[in-house]
Amino acid sequence: MVQGKMSEGNVGKPTDLPIFFIIGRGRSGSTLLRSLLDAHPKIQIPLESRFVQYLFCKYPGRSRWTPAEVPGIIRELERGFTFVDIDHQRLLAFLENCKERLSLADVCRLIYLHARSAFTKQKIEYLGDKNPRYSLFIPQLIKLFPEARFIHLVRDFRDNVA
């Protein structure tokens, strides 16, 4: 797989990037839609991972992190958890220049933004996530990302049988 390249100059303020979620039952076409959207040079959607749900449940009362704490969170996610492939050097370089404390939504956006892609990216304008299990996690996603948009795929269950 060829890894997509993107420079830090190709992104505005990462914590302001709009986010959307692709949800629906399994076998509804969500993986195909994720692949099609991720092929766009301005949209970043990592491979399926439940890290947002994991972090939301693990740190329910935590509101802010210093940039120096973020690499530890990512190392924790990588141990024994299906997680996205991240460009660690680029993320660490960004965090070294970051002066503000980061919310959980900010940390999640940084993980999305620094995930590797099979496609070459230009200026990232949208972040996305695809996970059928997030269909049961929508209230928490709205709490974390109140401005998020949702793409809900529905497929006739009889098509799965046929």
Side-chain angles (χ1 to χ4, degrees):
M1 174 166 85
V2 177
Q3 300 298 326
K5 295 192 187 309
M6 178 190 66
S7 69
E8 286 302 324
N10 291 344
V11 177
K13 187 176 176 191
T15 54
D16 291 340
L17 289 172
I19 191 164
F20 64 90
F21 294 91
I22 301 170
I23 57 171
R25 293 196 41 104
R27 313 291 309 158
S28 64
S30 58
T31 301
L32 175 61
L33 181 60
R34 186 209 75 81
S35 297
L36 292 171
L37 290 174
D38 189 44
H40 193 284
K42 296 182 179 187
I43 300 174
Q44 175 81 353
I45 307 175
L47 294 174
E48 191 172 315
S49 173
R50 294 186 328 259
F51 75 89
V52 175
Q53 185 178 8
Y54 175 82
L55 290 175
F56 186 88
C57 294
K58 175 138 177 113
Y59 300 104
R62 185 86 186 259
S63 61
R64 296 279 177 191
W65 283 269
T66 64
E69 293 174 304
V70 174
I73 294 168
I74 292 172
R75 280 192 300 275
E76 176 186 332
L77 287 171
E78 290 174 331
R79 284 192 300 259
F81 186 76
T82 303
F83 189 57
V84 296
D85 184 18
I86 289 184
D87 185 340
H88 290 276
Q89 289 180 330
R90 198 164 47 88
L91 176 60
L92 291 174
F94 172 83
L95 292 170
E96 286 176 6
N97 296 322
C98 184
K99 304 294 183 225
E100 58 193 59
R101 293 178 65 82
L102 302 167
S103 69
L104 179 55
D106 296 338
V107 171
C108 292
R109 278 189 173 93
L110 289 175
I111 291 170
Y112 289 129
L113 183 61
H114 292 89
R116 296 186 197 272
S117 177
F119 304 99
T120 300
K121 300 297 179 181
Q122 294 173 359
K123 181 179 181 190
I124 302 293
E125 295 180 7
Y126 298 94
L127 299 172
D129 195 351
K130 171 263 185 199
N131 195 318
R133 292 184 184 189
Y134 284 167
S135 297
L136 304 173
F137 193 66
I138 293 173
Q140 293 86 349
L141 289 172
I142 291 172
K143 184 176 181 182
L144 191 58
F145 302 102
E147 74 293 343
R149 302 289 187 211
F150 293 84
I151 300 171
H152 183 197
L153 298 177
V154 179
R155 181 177 181 184
D156 188 337
F157 68 93
R158 295 171 289 202
D159 289 340
N160 288 338
V161 176

